[in-house]
Structure formats: C-alpha cells, structure tokens
Amino acid sequence: MVTERVETAASEDGNIRISVALSSYNGEAYLRQQLDSILAELTKADELVISDDGSVDGTVAIVKEYEARDRRIRLLSGPRQGIVKNVEHALAHTRGQYIFLADQDDIWLSGKVERVLECFLQQKASVVIHDARVFIGDDSSRVQMESFFAFRDAGAGVVKNIIKNSYIGCCMAFRRELLAVVLPIPRQIEMHDQWIGVLGDYYAGKSCFLREPLLLYRRHGGNNSAMEHYSVGRMLRNRVVFLWYLCGRILRNCWKKGGNMEKIKKNDS
C-alpha cells in the first residue's frame, strides 16, 4: 500500500501515460486488495479514476482514504444508471494515452502493465486483452480455472465476438483514440466490454490477445457478470440489440468528417 501522498507531476502538465477506469458499487469487501494491486503497477505518470455509483457500504470511505494520500486517484460520483453508464462515466473522465479497465474485486498481477504496453507497441494494436486465472471467494489460491481464454475460446474478430463474446473488461486496455468511436455507450446493450472490443476490431483491425494470465479474476456472489450461459431467448435478444446499436454507431461515424477517428491506426496483422 502507498504510505504517503504521491505527487504526480504528469497531472500538472496533462501528459498522463495510463488511466485506469474502475467502476465501483458496494465493493468494500475486496476493494483494498484490488486498489493495492493496481497502484503497485502504476507510475507517477499514471492515474486511477474511480466512478462510484451510489455505494451504501464502506466503498466510498475506502476510496477517499486512498485518495487522501495518493494524487493519482480521482473519485467521481457516478450517474446511478447501472454498470454500463458508470463505466462510461469513468472513461469520459480519463486523460491517459492508454486506458485500462478494472473491476473492484479482482487482483492485478505483477508485470501486467509492462506486458500490456509491450503488446501495444509490438503489435501496433488499439485494443489489448490478456488472459486471467479464475478463483473463488476470499482465497486466491482456490483457482477454479487456469485460463479464461480457454473457457471462452477467446480471439479477435467482429463476427466471432458478436456470436460469442470473448472480451472481458477487467482484462482489457485500449488506446485513447478509440474513445471517439466508443462513447457514448448505449445503455440498452448488455456488455460494455463487447462494445469496446468489437468497435476496436472494426475500426483498428484485430485486437491483440495476450495469452498470459495477468490478473486473478474473483468469482463471488456479488459479481455483476456471470460465467453461466444465458437462455437462448436472452442471447438472441442481446445480439439483436447489440447489432442494432453497432450498425447505428458505424453509420453515425460515417457521417462524421474528420475528428479523432482519423487518428486510429489500422492494424491488419
């Protein structure tokens, strides 16, 4: 844990390297462990943006405690419109060149940021997603699954990830330029991570799937996401809604001229 207030020179001149966007809601049980693991990976040139969506437990008090001694942390009051809009709110307030998504209850492993940045540079990717080990409850040694990638048959591609999404937000990072096409995130879609990943694939070429577990993904009763399969009806409904808004966003961007979309570098590897 950081023991004194960290001075962040990068925030003074606006040259922030990495922004971590974390959405929180009633996450006091595991939040300290997650914050410690994230902050250990960040430098003074980075920031951690936390959007809290109206927690009624000790979540906000914990964040304020960390914020008081670490200038890299910024606590925001979320829109209280659900997880998708809370993620959007955090993303809209990031300032970094690279944006990492984070949940409130996982554990970042040592070397995560370095390996993801290497992937960005080596693969010229706009989106990087890495593997994770899945564990149960309080004990991170109780590994239920060695590879989330194997479970989801993970890989890049627009069609592939519309049919069966293999993007998981807590393992995802992307270049700032993608915000121009990602935001706003439609509240009607089920998964913000699928939205970001598919739009990244569409506009920037294939995402980089880094087949290394760089995160411990915690499963417990309060998880927002589920690893169980939805009913056929719900899956079909989700895909129809997703396609509707995806096509609408692509058409909207076709009508726009100039702007940040021109800065997105196509990766055809």
Side-chain angles (χ1 to χ4, degrees):
M1 182 185 298
V2 178
T3 57
E4 60 184 3
R5 189 170 179 84
V6 176
E7 300 296 329
T8 310
S11 64
E12 295 173 1
D13 61 16
N15 186 26
I16 294 177
R17 184 186 68 146
I18 288 170
S19 293
V20 179
L22 187 154
S23 57
S24 65
Y25 179 72
N26 290 346
E28 66 175 358
Y30 305 115
L31 185 58
R32 290 182 184 276
Q33 192 173 19
Q34 170 69 315
L35 293 179
D36 290 342
S37 72
I38 292 173
L39 293 171
E41 285 291 293
L42 302 184
T43 70
K44 292 182 179 181
D46 305 324
E47 68 174 0
L48 170 55
V49 179
I50 302 173
S51 179
D52 186 80
D53 216 29
S55 293
V56 295
D57 63 355
T59 297
V60 172
I62 291 171
V63 176
K64 285 183 176 179
E65 173 193 326
Y66 277 73
E67 185 183 33
R69 61 173 179 261
D70 195 325
R71 283 192 176 182
R72 296 175 296 179
I73 299 174
R74 284 192 292 134
L75 173 63
L76 309 173
S77 179
R80 304 192 184 196
Q81 297 174 19
I83 180 66
V84 170
K85 284 300 174 182
N86 197 31
V87 170
E88 177 190 283
H89 189 246
L91 291 176
H93 286 82
T94 59
R95 299 172 291 179
Q97 302 169 46
Y98 300 94
I99 299 171
F100 285 63
L101 294 176
D103 289 345
Q104 64 187 2
D105 47 13
D106 300 319
I107 303 171
W108 285 25
L109 296 178
S110 177
K112 167 184 161 86
V113 167
E114 179 181 0
R115 289 294 296 121
V116 170
L117 290 180
E118 286 176 358
C119 198
F120 274 120
L121 297 175
Q122 292 171 1
Q123 302 295 326
K124 296 183 174 62
S126 286
V127 178
V128 175
I129 179 170
H130 61 74
D131 205 351
R133 294 191 183 98
V134 182
F135 73 100
I136 304 294
D138 298 336
D139 187 355
S140 60
S141 67
R142 293 179 58 197
V143 176
Q144 179 190 34
M145 189 180 298
E146 287 290 341
S147 171
F148 183 83
F149 276 11
F151 171 70
R152 295 298 296 177
D153 187 26
V158 172
V159 175
K160 171 183 173 56
N161 283 285
I162 291 175
I163 296 173
K164 182 180 180 181
N165 179 47
S166 60
Y167 285 103
I168 177 172
C170 60
C171 298
M172 182 183 294
F174 59 95
R175 294 181 186 269
R176 178 166 197 81
E177 290 81 6
L178 271 185
L179 285 178
V181 297
V182 166
L183 299 182
I185 305 174
R187 72 178 72 251
Q188 295 85 353
I189 66 170
E190 181 89 6
M191 293 175 284
H192 59 273
D193 41 16
Q194 182 184 30
W195 178 257
I196 296 169
V198 169
L199 282 170
D201 280 345
Y202 181 84
Y203 283 104
K206 290 184 178 179
S207 302
C208 174
F209 275 70
L210 182 57
R211 299 189 177 277
E212 297 179 24
L214 300 176
L215 177 136
L216 298 178
Y217 179 39
R218 190 190 308 265
R219 300 301 307 164
H220 57 87
N223 286 87
N224 273 302
S225 58
M227 298 186 72
E228 295 79 15
H229 293 294
Y230 293 149
S231 66
V232 173
R234 184 173 177 180
M235 287 191 294
L236 288 174
R237 178 263 178 199
N238 288 346
R239 282 158 179 76
V240 169
V241 171
F242 185 87
L243 278 170
W244 174 262
Y245 285 97
L246 178 67
C247 292
R249 180 59 51 85
I250 291 170
L251 287 173
R252 187 201 73 171
N253 291 335
C254 286
W255 295 330
K256 292 173 64 175
K257 295 181 180 179
N260 290 331
M261 283 190 299
E262 295 178 354
K263 299 179 182 178
I264 299 175
K265 296 180 180 179
K266 188 75 170 178
N267 170 27
D268 295 317
S269 60

